[in-house]
Amino acid sequence: MDIQIGRGKTARRAYGFDEIALVPGQRTLDPSLADTRWRIGGIERDIPIIASAMDGVVDVKMAVRLSQLGAMGVLNLEGIQTRYADPEPILDRIASVGTSEYVPLMQELYAEPIKPELIEQRIQEIKSQGGIAAVSATPVAAAKYGEVIAKAGADLLFIQATVVSTAHLSPDSVTPLDLAQFCQEMPIPVILGNCVTYEVALNLMKAGAAAVLVGIGPGAACTSRGVLGVGVPQATAVADCAAARDDYYHETGNYVPVIADGGLITGGDICKCIACGADGVMIGSPFARAKEAPGRGFHWGMATPSPVLPRGTRIRVGTTGTLEQILVGPAQLDDGTHNLLGALKTSMGTLGAKNIKDMQQVEVVIAPSLLTEGKVYQKAQQLGMGK
Amino acid sequence: MDIQIGRGKTARRAYGFDEIALVPGQRTLDPSLADTRWRIGGIERDIPIIASAMDGVVDVKMAVRLSQLGAMGVLNLEGIQTRYADPEPILDRIASVGTSEYVPLMQELYAEPIKPELIEQRIQEIKSQGGIAAVSATPVAAAKYGEVIAKAGADLLFIQATVVSTAHLSPDSVTPLDLAQFCQEMPIPVILGNCVTYEVALNLMKAGAAAVLVGIGPGAACTSRGVLGVGVPQATAVADCAAARDDYYHETGNYVPVIADGGLITGGDICKCIACGADGVMIGSPFARAKEAPGRGFHWGMATPSPVLPRGTRIRVGTTGTLEQILVGPAQLDDGTHNLLGALKTSMGTLGAKNIKDMQQVEVVIAPSLLTEGKVYQKAQQLGMGK
Amino acid sequence: MDIQIGRGKTARRAYGFDEIALVPGQRTLDPSLADTRWRIGGIERDIPIIASAMDGVVDVKMAVRLSQLGAMGVLNLEGIQTRYADPEPILDRIASVGTSEYVPLMQELYAEPIKPELIEQRIQEIKSQGGIAAVSATPVAAAKYGEVIAKAGADLLFIQATVVSTAHLSPDSVTPLDLAQFCQEMPIPVILGNCVTYEVALNLMKAGAAAVLVGIGPGAACTSRGVLGVGVPQATAVADCAAARDDYYHETGNYVPVIADGGLITGGDICKCIACGADGVMIGSPFARAKEAPGRGFHWGMATPSPVLPRGTRIRVGTTGTLEQILVGPAQLDDGTHNLLGALKTSMGTLGAKNIKDMQQVEVVIAPSLLTEGKVYQKAQQLGMGK
Amino acid sequence: MDIQIGRGKTARRAYGFDEIALVPGQRTLDPSLADTRWRIGGIERDIPIIASAMDGVVDVKMAVRLSQLGAMGVLNLEGIQTRYADPEPILDRIASVGTSEYVPLMQELYAEPIKPELIEQRIQEIKSQGGIAAVSATPVAAAKYGEVIAKAGADLLFIQATVVSTAHLSPDSVTPLDLAQFCQEMPIPVILGNCVTYEVALNLMKAGAAAVLVGIGPGAACTSRGVLGVGVPQATAVADCAAARDDYYHETGNYVPVIADGGLITGGDICKCIACGADGVMIGSPFARAKEAPGRGFHWGMATPSPVLPRGTRIRVGTTGTLEQILVGPAQLDDGTHNLLGALKTSMGTLGAKNIKDMQQVEVVIAPSLLTEGKVYQKAQQLGMGK
């Protein structure tokens, strides 16, 4: 499998979603018969889609609405929502600032300290409206606020860092979070991520993860690959981590879902993700385009506010419809960004997949959607630029 | 042949037409000696090109004119032509609406019911003017209107869905169309599609298809790959299905032509298609550019009107010449979109192919026409942007 | 070596110049020591570069000037120069017409008959000014005007068609040119082309070719691949035909040079061409940019005037310097399009190649110059579009 | 490993940095624990980054400032700084001239002779301000000014040519520089480059190089590949030369660092470079964007001034921050061009690499960052061009 980069280095070829497509088999299915249910941390959901813990994507209102629609949203506990009692004027400022002032503004806004009482308040706001209170924290914040989170009644805790490992080396002055111990002591299910390899996914499962998040470097608002050189294309990362899940399940009988996180924009991306082995997906930018989204038509990465090395670009995604249209339709756009559930069900019908486990087995081909001359020609036609 | 995407998933590399080119052999031929005749459902045609069953491409007038020129057009029986007694003002509206109002308008226009009497009338209009009445329907409509179609005197029936299979699972409330039974009972030849694999093509042939349509996801007005993640690049799909045709022929003595459908724009694309094994091609956008085309310079996919998940973009293709110029020349454009028959004959001459069967055997190379720096440079020069 | 496109079809991967680069070895050389001489049809030249037989590139004046500078130009005997006694106003019209009127104008202009007396006159004009009279004709014209050409005192005759073979099938009414017989009977050396495969190159050498032209489909002003689907990337085509030359030489002791024709724009392209095995190159668009070029800043393919299937786009290449600057420098541009000889000598020095035969042996790597994100970034910077 | 280009030619696939990415392992590390120290020619530096010997990048002031910050800059001894006592007005002219006058101006400015007393003066200016006096010269200039350089108290001498070899053939009138003899006789460490292969890197080490520069053709301001066809993508070149270093070390016990030079723009590029085996990197354009850079927002290649074959494009890189921000942060840009050291340390932490030797061993995947349709879509969104 190894390809020689040079005499001193070999590497494996990894694939992204833009490089694959799904192949219909001998069976088709009416989309209404496609069963998209899944379970995470003991909670069953109708739609295997989670909204990312990003400040432009999920606030209390979004978390509640997503729960009502059969999906779920994760609230970022280290963002605007827990630093400011009234986040609205802050979000207004982020949306109105120019490109050159953006990074300094974010560095300033995120310098405001996190308030434990706001953590509690946001969780209770979601719960009181009947929503699923899924929240996220970095390892450092999880150690600090774990108790508050649990007490406030959160349903699920996502511990997320760009890259997470069970063997983190910290300076002597700092006691690193022991993920295994934390998972054991925490009274609610803990989801861990992000990872991209079989070995780390397996380690996280062994540490007690209720689910594992997969994806480093592929997201629209993430510039990890440019800044750090780090990243694995998602099709390969998901397939590897799904293999870890299956092996772990065969050994222990414990099924730990794999959630693909980052780089997914269209319904087609979600379908391909599951076909590579994911149980669910976490998406940001598609939901940032909802009328209800806190980002006001903008989307930004959570590494942005770093005071020394910001690396999440703000993207103007625009507002294209209601959350309902985006998630369950009916679609008013024909580009794959509306009615994500409908797209998944139609794809499953087309591919003859009755449920998510079936969908994980469908045939895949490597078929790069590169920009060929022919496609540029088509695009030109599409834009009315035909000769 | 299998490439590992990740530990849990392998895939095969599939190729599109943009990635291949044809190699001249040791023999050349005067283009006038190239014989392009073929047969479908007992009907012999001089030109192996069929106009797609799309509302912007084929109406009664186009079907008749295409027949006269030696080709054929398929009339969509679930579109504007059978929903409206006078389709002209409807087509005017589609052509005049802005991009943002397009999807809702289409959803509205296609909500108008199909009228059986218009099905009958359109078929008879084509027949009375001496045209070949080839018509298309989805499996559901074929079940419903099959009898009307046959009685009205249609010559060929195309049953088309994005993906068709002989093992379709429907909700209990619906009796799915049994394709084998339908083909047997229908008094006229039935063409089935679309498929992309050897197995499904073989199943459709066994079910009694008079020809098989190949192509999922590649068309200009089709966004299946973005919305559903589904699709196989055409060179691979055509070669696979052509192998099914040859195996079926060797077993049964019954030769079922393979028609490549979707993603073909230039004469070169048509030539490459046949070189990969197709007997004929079905094309939409090149004909949508004809003065006679009902689309008035626009072209749109038939999945567009879906009330819940529209996925066929409207493309402004412009009007570049008469149908005659586009099909048999003389060409007034030098980009491969005029005189498609001349291009095919010249290519056959260049490659030394006396007939379609010869053309199916010519040598192919993998030669991606990717946008390299050099090509961008050339393009820039072409546009007068040389430094 | 064969890759499966689909079950019914295998293909070989072919490479273009944009996909390769040259690797320096353990030896370097002062460029002044690089010997670029070569021989074609008994004529020795200092520079292995020939100007294409295209109406925008070579007229009498260009042919003479190229000869003086150590290179050579080929006059197209079926173009403007032999149809019109005074070509200047005709060339003015071609340069001044708009894009939409271009194809019809060319079809009209090239309908004017060829005059044998102008063939004679042009050859004598070149000879009387001390130039090498290299001329080109299609097989049909070669049969018709061969005697005139020889009598007029031409030095070399290039017989060129998009694709040439020694086994051409014509309608009964036409006697095809027997290339072997023609080469034998013609009192001057005959160069044959174009071809792209080992077998055809070998056949042409056996037929008596004094040199073989290699290249189908790759040129800037050529749209063969789009219109006909036909073409082989140049690096592969050149290497294959060079192998035929070497095998033929080993068998017969007769060294028949291989000339790469088409798709070459920069000095780097020329260097890569020779590194793949070419003895010389034929280029069009770089010379079309000379002040002295008849095209007045335009360049067009010779298949353009076809009355039924035009397929050579007109490109505005602009005028960037004198022929001397372009061919032997000094350069005033830093993009590889000025001082082509200097580029070749510098490249040979860098690669330690003392002469053309050495240069044919240098190491090559496959290194696609695809448009990656990084390169787009660089380009953006170059254009002053840095963030 | 060899791929057939054609019958007469095989080649190896080489990889560039745009085609690879780094894979996190089972261990992570707090970035503050990442040790980035390295040694070159007996000098220890905290940061393994060297500023290129280019006139738009390093002058005396930059060399001093880079030394203070823990890095190093190399002063070009054949540029503006040693031809003009007061370089400032000259640099102003270069920055203010238009694109078309640029090449002739450079040819004129670099025709001014080099003054040995300015070589001495510049070195002493750096030393007197506490900087490391690293200087560069071509082989010819090194032979001529070697003694002056040593006497003036330079710390390191870089001998650089596009391609350097230990077996250079010169005209009889010229005595070529014997690199081995020169390294032996020179009282200060001599760094040699550039090379791209295992064999040449090994030869340079045997000749006594204190370090080896790797990189031909990949730089932003370098057009060698277009003009000469010469170049090897950096990931492969670095890995090959690093293998030579390791083999040479195992044989002799002498560790000769490998410095990647050219084509590096972001922090991610630097990280990937070291992961392929480099000990340090030499970068130009990122530093040309510093407020302190002599280029005033421009960057140009040192082959530009060639009187006969200029081949280094001037790029407007803009001015984006102070040298400190670019090198050690804090960053005000999120695109990987600010805080290069922070990016390296964060990447090392993410990858669990405690030091440069660890970083050279991290896992690499082949993951082309090609411009796919999906990425164009993302980019369009980023630019606010979402539908």
Side-chain angles (χ1 to χ4, degrees):
Chain A
M1 290 302 298
D2 272 356
I3 298 165
Q4 198 185 41
I5 300 265
R7 290 204 192 194
K9 200 88 194 179
T10 57
R12 173 191 181 201
R13 177 68 160 88
Y15 293 90
F17 287 126
D18 279 315
E19 299 180 277
I20 65 168
L22 309 180
V23 186
Q26 300 194 50
R27 197 171 69 168
T28 49
L29 200 73
D30 191 276
S32 66
L33 298 177
D35 176 357
T36 61
R37 280 173 305 167
W38 75 312
R39 292 182 73 84
I40 173 170
I43 298 175
E44 187 179 285
R45 296 275 74 202
D46 284 343
I47 306 176
I49 302 178
I50 301 175
S52 307
M54 300 173 104
D55 284 1
V57 177
V58 179
D59 58 7
V60 169
K61 192 179 58 209
M62 281 288 280
V64 171
R65 189 76 187 110
L66 283 156
S67 301
Q68 290 166 345
L69 290 165
M72 187 193 293
V74 182
L75 190 77
N76 171 22
L77 293 186
E78 287 160 280
I80 297 300
Q81 300 292 329
T82 55
R83 293 178 199 267
Y84 297 91
D86 182 5
E88 300 306 320
I90 307 298
L91 291 162
D92 285 337
R93 279 180 72 190
I94 294 172
S96 61
V97 87
T99 303
S100 59
E101 305 109 66
Y102 168 68
V103 169
L105 173 69
M106 295 301 269
Q107 288 171 335
E108 178 207 320
L109 291 178
Y110 284 77
E112 177 72 21
I114 294 166
K115 280 128 199 132
E117 62 275 19
L118 284 178
I119 292 180
E120 218 182 314
Q121 182 186 325
R122 299 299 175 220
I123 291 170
Q124 288 165 354
E125 285 170 2
I126 295 171
K127 295 301 297 176
S128 68
Q129 297 175 65
I132 293 167
V135 296
S136 88
T138 56
V140 171
K144 202 166 169 188
Y145 304 115
E147 219 172 319
V148 177
I149 293 166
K151 269 201 194 148
D155 295 301
L156 299 171
L157 172 58
F158 288 68
I159 301 188
Q160 280 196 272
T162 302
V163 174
V164 83
S165 82
T166 52
H168 182 73
L169 194 64
S170 295
D172 291 341
S173 55
V174 181
T175 311
L177 181 67
D178 180 324
L179 291 172
Q181 193 188 335
F182 185 86
C183 288
Q184 207 183 343
E185 290 172 7
M186 198 71 183
I188 61 171
V190 178
I191 289 94
L192 299 177
N194 285 14
C195 66
V196 282
T197 59
Y198 177 92
E199 291 79 12
V200 176
L202 202 58
N203 287 345
L204 298 179
M205 290 170 189
K206 287 177 183 167
V212 164
L213 293 159
V214 175
I216 297 173
C222 167
T223 55
S224 288
R225 192 160 162 189
V227 177
L228 308 181
V230 173
V232 173
Q234 275 288 52
T236 292
V238 166
D240 277 2
C241 296
R245 175 200 60 209
D246 292 345
D247 288 355
Y248 186 69
Y249 176 68
H250 291 137
E251 272 175 46
T252 67
N254 186 8
Y255 189 89
V256 182
V258 162
I259 301 162
D261 172 25
L264 307 172
I265 291 176
T266 65
D269 294 340
I270 295 171
C271 298
K272 292 191 226 169
C273 229
I274 296 175
C276 283
D279 297 283
V281 301
M282 177 174 257
I283 60 179
S285 62
F287 288 139
R289 303 169 88 194
K291 278 203 182 98
E292 297 91 337
R296 289 121 169 85
F298 285 94
H299 179 49
W300 58 94
M302 284 303 95
T304 304
S306 162
V308 292
L309 188 65
R311 55 180 197 285
T313 300
R314 183 186 59 171
I315 301 177
R316 178 194 287 278
V317 293
T319 297
T320 66
T322 63
L323 178 58
E324 189 168 352
Q325 285 177 315
I326 290 170
L327 190 59
V328 298
Q332 285 194 331
L333 289 179
D334 54 7
D335 61 0
T337 63
H338 272 193
N339 195 0
L340 298 175
L341 179 64
L344 175 57
K345 281 177 175 274
T346 303
S347 184
M348 288 171 74
T350 298
L351 299 164
K354 289 187 192 166
N355 51 46
I356 297 296
K357 292 314 288 177
D358 271 10
M359 188 68 173
Q360 291 172 350
Q361 307 300 324
V362 302
E363 189 186 340
V364 166
V365 280
I366 297 171
S369 67
L370 295 174
L371 272 186
T372 57
E373 289 189 279
K375 284 195 187 135
V376 169
Y377 187 91
Q378 286 180 16
K379 273 290 179 249
Q381 279 197 328
Q382 220 161 314
L383 300 169
M385 291 160 58
K387 288 193 193 188
Chain B
M1 288 303 298
D2 272 355
I3 297 164
Q4 198 185 41
I5 299 266
R7 289 206 192 192
K9 200 87 193 180
T10 57
R12 172 191 181 201
R13 177 68 161 85
Y15 294 89
F17 287 126
D18 278 316
E19 300 181 277
I20 66 168
L22 309 180
V23 185
Q26 300 195 49
R27 198 172 70 167
T28 49
L29 200 73
D30 191 275
S32 65
L33 300 177
D35 176 358
T36 60
R37 281 173 305 167
W38 76 313
R39 293 182 72 83
I40 173 170
I43 298 174
E44 186 178 286
R45 297 274 73 201
D46 283 343
I47 306 176
I49 303 176
I50 301 176
S52 307
M54 300 174 104
D55 283 1
V57 177
V58 178
D59 58 7
V60 168
K61 192 179 59 208
M62 280 289 280
V64 171
R65 188 76 187 112
L66 282 157
S67 301
Q68 290 167 343
L69 290 166
M72 187 193 294
V74 182
L75 190 77
N76 172 23
L77 293 187
E78 286 160 280
I80 297 300
Q81 300 292 328
T82 56
R83 292 177 198 266
Y84 296 93
D86 182 6
E88 299 305 320
I90 306 298
L91 291 162
D92 285 339
R93 280 180 71 190
I94 294 172
S96 61
V97 87
T99 303
S100 58
E101 305 109 67
Y102 169 68
V103 169
L105 173 69
M106 295 301 268
Q107 288 171 333
E108 178 207 322
L109 292 177
Y110 285 78
E112 176 72 22
I114 295 166
K115 279 126 199 134
E117 62 276 18
L118 284 177
I119 293 180
E120 218 182 314
Q121 182 186 326
R122 298 300 175 218
I123 291 169
Q124 288 165 353
E125 285 170 0
I126 295 170
K127 296 301 296 176
S128 68
Q129 297 175 64
I132 294 167
V135 295
S136 88
T138 56
V140 170
K144 201 165 168 189
Y145 305 116
E147 219 172 319
V148 177
I149 293 165
K151 270 202 195 148
D155 295 300
L156 298 171
L157 171 59
F158 288 69
I159 300 187
Q160 280 196 272
T162 302
V163 173
V164 83
S165 83
T166 51
H168 183 74
L169 193 64
S170 295
D172 291 340
S173 56
V174 180
T175 313
L177 182 67
D178 180 325
L179 290 173
Q181 193 188 337
F182 185 86
C183 287
Q184 208 184 343
E185 289 173 7
M186 198 69 183
I188 60 170
V190 178
I191 290 94
L192 299 176
N194 285 15
C195 66
V196 281
T197 59
Y198 177 92
E199 291 79 13
V200 176
L202 202 58
N203 286 347
L204 298 180
M205 291 170 189
K206 288 177 183 167
V212 164
L213 293 159
V214 176
I216 296 173
C222 168
T223 56
S224 288
R225 192 162 161 187
V227 178
L228 307 181
V230 172
V232 173
Q234 276 288 53
T236 292
V238 166
D240 276 2
C241 295
R245 174 200 60 209
D246 292 344
D247 288 355
Y248 186 69
Y249 176 67
H250 291 136
E251 272 175 45
T252 67
N254 186 8
Y255 189 90
V256 182
V258 162
I259 301 163
D261 173 25
L264 307 172
I265 291 176
T266 65
D269 293 340
I270 295 171
C271 297
K272 292 190 226 170
C273 231
I274 296 175
C276 283
D279 297 282
V281 300
M282 177 173 258
I283 59 179
S285 63
F287 289 139
R289 303 170 87 194
K291 279 203 181 97
E292 297 91 337
R296 288 123 171 86
F298 286 94
H299 178 49
W300 59 93
M302 285 303 95
T304 304
S306 161
V308 291
L309 188 65
R311 54 180 198 284
T313 300
R314 184 185 60 170
I315 301 177
R316 178 193 287 279
V317 294
T319 297
T320 66
T322 63
L323 178 59
E324 188 168 353
Q325 285 177 316
I326 290 170
L327 190 58
V328 299
Q332 286 195 330
L333 289 178
D334 54 8
D335 61 0
T337 63
H338 271 193
N339 194 0
L340 298 175
L341 178 64
L344 176 56
K345 281 177 173 275
T346 303
S347 184
M348 288 172 74
T350 299
L351 299 164
K354 289 186 193 168
N355 51 45
I356 297 295
K357 292 312 289 178
D358 271 10
M359 188 68 172
Q360 290 172 350
Q361 307 301 324
V362 301
E363 189 185 341
V364 166
V365 280
I366 297 171
S369 66
L370 295 174
L371 272 186
T372 57
E373 289 190 280
K375 285 198 186 129
V376 169
Y377 188 94
Q378 286 179 17
K379 273 293 181 249
Q381 280 197 327
Q382 220 162 313
L383 300 169
M385 291 160 58
K387 287 195 195 188
Chain C
M1 288 302 299
D2 272 354
I3 297 164
Q4 199 185 41
I5 299 267
R7 290 205 192 193
K9 200 87 194 180
T10 57
R12 173 191 181 199
R13 178 68 161 87
Y15 293 89
F17 287 126
D18 278 315
E19 299 181 276
I20 65 168
L22 309 181
V23 185
Q26 301 195 50
R27 197 171 70 168
T28 50
L29 201 74
D30 192 276
S32 65
L33 299 177
D35 176 358
T36 60
R37 282 173 305 167
W38 75 313
R39 294 182 72 83
I40 172 171
I43 298 174
E44 187 179 285
R45 297 274 72 203
D46 284 343
I47 307 176
I49 301 177
I50 301 176
S52 307
M54 300 174 103
D55 284 1
V57 178
V58 178
D59 58 7
V60 169
K61 192 178 59 206
M62 280 288 280
V64 171
R65 188 75 188 112
L66 283 157
S67 301
Q68 289 166 346
L69 290 166
M72 188 193 293
V74 182
L75 190 77
N76 172 22
L77 293 186
E78 288 160 279
I80 298 299
Q81 300 292 328
T82 55
R83 293 178 198 267
Y84 296 93
D86 182 6
E88 299 305 321
I90 305 300
L91 290 162
D92 285 339
R93 282 181 70 190
I94 294 172
S96 60
V97 87
T99 303
S100 59
E101 306 109 66
Y102 168 68
V103 169
L105 173 69
M106 294 302 269
Q107 288 172 332
E108 178 207 320
L109 292 177
Y110 284 78
E112 176 73 22
I114 294 165
K115 280 126 199 136
E117 61 275 17
L118 284 178
I119 293 180
E120 217 181 316
Q121 183 186 325
R122 298 300 174 218
I123 291 170
Q124 287 165 355
E125 285 170 1
I126 294 170
K127 295 301 297 176
S128 69
Q129 296 175 65
I132 293 167
V135 296
S136 89
T138 56
V140 170
K144 200 164 169 190
Y145 305 116
E147 217 172 321
V148 178
I149 293 166
K151 268 201 194 150
D155 295 301
L156 299 170
L157 172 59
F158 288 69
I159 300 187
Q160 280 195 271
T162 302
V163 174
V164 81
S165 82
T166 52
H168 183 74
L169 194 64
S170 295
D172 291 341
S173 56
V174 180
T175 313
L177 181 67
D178 180 325
L179 290 172
Q181 192 187 338
F182 185 86
C183 287
Q184 205 183 347
E185 289 173 6
M186 198 70 182
I188 60 171
V190 178
I191 291 93
L192 299 176
N194 285 16
C195 67
V196 281
T197 59
Y198 177 91
E199 291 78 13
V200 175
L202 202 59
N203 286 348
L204 297 179
M205 290 171 190
K206 287 178 183 166
V212 164
L213 293 158
V214 175
I216 297 173
C222 168
T223 55
S224 289
R225 192 161 161 189
V227 178
L228 307 180
V230 173
V232 173
Q234 277 286 53
T236 293
V238 166
D240 277 2
C241 295
R245 173 200 61 208
D246 292 345
D247 287 356
Y248 186 69
Y249 176 68
H250 292 137
E251 271 175 46
T252 67
N254 186 8
Y255 190 90
V256 181
V258 162
I259 301 162
D261 173 25
L264 306 172
I265 291 176
T266 64
D269 293 340
I270 295 171
C271 297
K272 292 191 224 171
C273 230
I274 296 175
C276 283
D279 298 281
V281 300
M282 178 173 258
I283 59 179
S285 62
F287 289 140
R289 302 170 88 194
K291 280 204 181 97
E292 298 91 335
R296 287 124 171 86
F298 285 95
H299 179 49
W300 58 92
M302 285 303 95
T304 304
S306 161
V308 291
L309 189 65
R311 54 179 196 284
T313 299
R314 183 184 60 169
I315 300 176
R316 179 194 286 279
V317 293
T319 298
T320 65
T322 63
L323 178 58
E324 188 168 353
Q325 285 177 316
I326 289 170
L327 189 59
V328 298
Q332 286 195 330
L333 289 179
D334 54 8
D335 61 0
T337 63
H338 271 192
N339 194 2
L340 298 175
L341 179 64
L344 176 56
K345 281 177 173 276
T346 302
S347 185
M348 289 172 74
T350 299
L351 299 164
K354 288 186 192 168
N355 52 47
I356 297 295
K357 291 313 289 178
D358 271 10
M359 188 67 172
Q360 290 172 351
Q361 307 301 323
V362 302
E363 189 185 340
V364 166
V365 280
I366 297 172
S369 66
L370 295 175
L371 272 186
T372 58
E373 289 189 280
K375 283 193 188 135
V376 168
Y377 188 93
Q378 286 180 17
K379 274 290 181 251
Q381 280 197 327
Q382 220 161 314
L383 300 169
M385 290 160 59
K387 287 194 194 186
Chain D
M1 291 302 300
D2 273 355
I3 297 164
Q4 198 186 40
I5 300 266
R7 291 205 191 193
K9 200 88 193 179
T10 57
R12 173 192 182 200
R13 177 69 161 86
Y15 293 89
F17 287 126
D18 278 317
E19 298 180 276
I20 65 169
L22 309 181
V23 185
Q26 301 195 49
R27 198 170 69 169
T28 49
L29 200 73
D30 191 275
S32 65
L33 299 178
D35 176 357
T36 61
R37 281 174 304 167
W38 76 313
R39 294 181 71 84
I40 172 171
I43 299 174
E44 187 178 285
R45 297 274 73 202
D46 283 343
I47 306 176
I49 302 177
I50 301 176
S52 307
M54 299 174 104
D55 284 1
V57 176
V58 178
D59 58 7
V60 168
K61 193 178 59 209
M62 281 287 281
V64 171
R65 189 77 187 109
L66 283 157
S67 301
Q68 289 167 344
L69 290 166
M72 187 193 294
V74 182
L75 190 78
N76 171 23
L77 294 186
E78 287 160 279
I80 298 298
Q81 300 292 327
T82 56
R83 293 177 198 268
Y84 297 92
D86 181 5
E88 299 305 322
I90 306 298
L91 291 161
D92 285 339
R93 281 180 71 189
I94 294 172
S96 61
V97 87
T99 303
S100 58
E101 305 110 65
Y102 168 67
V103 169
L105 173 69
M106 295 301 268
Q107 288 171 333
E108 179 207 321
L109 292 178
Y110 284 77
E112 176 72 20
I114 294 166
K115 279 125 200 134
E117 62 275 19
L118 284 178
I119 292 180
E120 218 182 314
Q121 183 186 324
R122 298 300 175 218
I123 291 170
Q124 287 165 355
E125 285 170 1
I126 295 171
K127 296 299 296 177
S128 69
Q129 296 175 64
I132 293 167
V135 295
S136 89
T138 57
V140 170
K144 202 164 167 189
Y145 304 115
E147 218 171 320
V148 177
I149 293 165
K151 268 201 195 148
D155 294 301
L156 298 171
L157 172 58
F158 288 70
I159 300 187
Q160 279 195 272
T162 302
V163 174
V164 81
S165 83
T166 52
H168 183 74
L169 194 64
S170 296
D172 292 341
S173 56
V174 180
T175 312
L177 181 67
D178 180 325
L179 290 173
Q181 194 187 336
F182 185 85
C183 287
Q184 205 182 345
E185 289 173 6
M186 198 69 182
I188 60 171
V190 178
I191 290 94
L192 299 176
N194 285 17
C195 67
V196 281
T197 59
Y198 177 91
E199 291 79 12
V200 175
L202 202 59
N203 286 347
L204 297 179
M205 289 171 190
K206 287 177 183 166
V212 164
L213 294 158
V214 175
I216 297 173
C222 168
T223 54
S224 288
R225 192 161 162 189
V227 177
L228 307 181
V230 173
V232 173
Q234 276 288 54
T236 293
V238 166
D240 277 3
C241 295
R245 174 200 60 209
D246 292 345
D247 288 355
Y248 186 68
Y249 176 67
H250 292 137
E251 271 175 47
T252 66
N254 186 8
Y255 190 90
V256 182
V258 162
I259 301 162
D261 172 25
L264 306 173
I265 290 176
T266 64
D269 294 340
I270 295 171
C271 297
K272 292 191 225 169
C273 230
I274 296 175
C276 283
D279 297 283
V281 300
M282 178 174 257
I283 59 179
S285 62
F287 289 139
R289 302 170 88 194
K291 279 205 182 95
E292 298 90 338
R296 288 123 170 86
F298 286 94
H299 178 49
W300 59 93
M302 286 303 95
T304 304
S306 161
V308 292
L309 188 65
R311 55 179 195 286
T313 301
R314 184 185 60 169
I315 301 176
R316 179 195 287 278
V317 293
T319 297
T320 65
T322 64
L323 178 58
E324 189 169 351
Q325 285 176 315
I326 290 170
L327 190 58
V328 298
Q332 286 195 330
L333 289 179
D334 55 7
D335 61 0
T337 63
H338 271 194
N339 194 1
L340 298 175
L341 179 64
L344 176 56
K345 280 177 174 275
T346 304
S347 185
M348 288 171 73
T350 299
L351 299 164
K354 290 187 192 167
N355 52 45
I356 298 294
K357 292 314 289 178
D358 271 10
M359 188 68 173
Q360 291 171 350
Q361 306 301 324
V362 302
E363 189 186 340
V364 166
V365 280
I366 297 171
S369 66
L370 295 174
L371 273 185
T372 58
E373 288 189 280
K375 286 197 185 130
V376 168
Y377 187 92
Q378 286 180 16
K379 274 289 180 249
Q381 279 196 327
Q382 219 161 314
L383 300 169
M385 291 160 60
K387 288 193 197 189

